[in-house]
Amino acid sequence: MGNKVNISDEVVEMAKLAKAMGHPVRLYILQKLSQMNACCYSGDLVDELPVGRSTLSQHLKELKYAGLIQGEIEPPYIKYCLNKENWENAKSMFHRLFDESETI
Amino acid sequence: MGNKVNISDEVVEMAKLAKAMGHPVRLYILQKLSQMNACCYSGDLVDELPVGRSTLSQHLKELKYAGLIQGEIEPPYIKYCLNKENWENAKSMFHRLFDESETI
DNA sequence: TTGTTATTTCGCAAAACAACGAAATATATT
DNA sequence: AATATATTTCGTTGTTTTGCGAAATAACAA
């Protein structure tokens, strides 16, 4: 009894993605970037979002850490875009999760 | 300038769902429940997951709070299942997010 | 009533998160 | 060299999360 299962790497990885998506500001950014393959600058975001520069920077850092976005230096700006490969991967993981629930 | 946007209710709601999914134990539970419309008992889970009873209970509480699962009292057990309506809603929100990124 | 089983709530400690302003960095311009 | 712009890092503060064991609850059985 009590044979502990070990949680699969996929579940751990997906939980990390979900956690990164689990804040309104971060999800807003992802939504924005996912629309028509847009990219944006930290300065654009700080103008439209109700958080300060340093706070926004932290959120961007977390999205980067989770692998969902990437920043290209484009002096004097940093251009942020989705990390497409990882985004596609995230998409298929969430797809799998929700499609397993299909009533057959 | 700096006309702050207000983050839509949908984004706030979806962030709440993502947050609830953002822990390996909770995601494991959701995955399990989503497979073939299964339900389970807290006792089953505590046997297979590497957390104590009270900790597991907290995780179940959070999933309930987010609306993703529901518990039916079935003495002496409590049977946990997905909250199908909200699960379908979550599914379509995540779908929308990821499908906006389609390269057209 | 006393005990048993399944689960939750409480109280606590440690860690992580969210937010801010000030200072630092990096790159261009004067 | 000094200044300006865009962004990040640092230090701090208050809040939330995660985890545990002990005690509480709820339903049933002896």
Side-chain angles (χ1 to χ4, degrees):
Chain A
M1 318 87 244
N3 247 340
K4 305 294 183 185
V5 113
N6 70 330
I7 297 182
S8 72
D9 288 352
E10 167 152 353
V11 167
V12 171
E13 172 61 21
M14 190 173 165
K16 185 172 141 185
L17 296 177
K19 188 176 177 185
M21 296 167 71
H23 187 286
V25 164
R26 294 195 295 265
L27 194 57
Y28 176 93
I29 294 168
L30 290 173
Q31 194 189 45
K32 180 167 181 133
L33 294 183
S34 72
Q35 282 164 350
M36 50 188 156
N37 297 304
C39 292
C40 68
Y41 303 100
S42 174
D44 301 340
L45 294 170
V46 93
D47 277 342
E48 61 190 275
L49 287 170
V51 287
R53 285 167 198 288
S54 57
T55 303
L56 180 66
S57 191
Q58 282 298 324
H59 285 306
L60 290 169
K61 189 177 173 182
E62 280 185 67
L63 289 172
K64 246 185 303 181
Y65 171 72
L68 290 168
I69 66 171
Q70 60 197 116
E72 256 179 83
I73 294 172
E74 204 178 69
Y77 301 94
I78 297 177
K79 188 169 85 170
Y80 285 103
C81 311
L82 284 186
N83 179 321
K84 284 202 191 148
E85 187 182 333
N86 293 344
W87 184 252
E88 284 304 313
N89 191 238
K91 174 178 172 166
S92 61
M93 282 197 279
F94 279 91
H95 237 93
R96 267 199 296 288
L97 175 68
F98 285 112
D99 292 355
E100 271 164 355
S101 66
E102 227 57 85
T103 315
I104 306 174
Chain B
M1 308 97 244
N3 247 338
K4 306 294 182 186
V5 115
N6 70 329
I7 297 181
S8 71
D9 287 353
E10 167 153 353
V11 167
V12 172
E13 172 62 19
M14 190 174 166
K16 185 172 141 185
L17 295 177
K19 188 176 177 187
M21 295 167 71
H23 187 287
V25 165
R26 294 194 295 266
L27 194 57
Y28 176 94
I29 294 167
L30 290 173
Q31 194 189 46
K32 180 167 181 132
L33 294 184
S34 73
Q35 282 163 352
M36 52 189 153
N37 298 305
C39 293
C40 67
Y41 302 98
S42 175
D44 301 340
L45 294 170
V46 94
D47 277 341
E48 60 190 274
L49 288 169
V51 288
R53 285 168 196 285
S54 58
T55 303
L56 180 66
S57 190
Q58 281 298 323
H59 285 305
L60 290 169
K61 190 178 173 182
E62 279 185 67
L63 289 172
K64 246 186 303 181
Y65 171 73
L68 290 169
I69 66 170
Q70 60 198 112
E72 257 179 83
I73 295 172
E74 203 177 68
Y77 301 95
I78 296 177
K79 187 168 86 171
Y80 285 103
C81 312
L82 283 186
N83 179 321
K84 285 205 190 146
E85 187 181 334
N86 292 343
W87 184 251
E88 285 303 314
N89 191 236
K91 175 178 173 168
S92 62
M93 282 197 279
F94 279 91
H95 238 92
R96 267 200 295 289
L97 175 68
F98 285 111
D99 292 355
E100 270 163 354
S101 66
E102 228 57 88
T103 315
I104 306 175

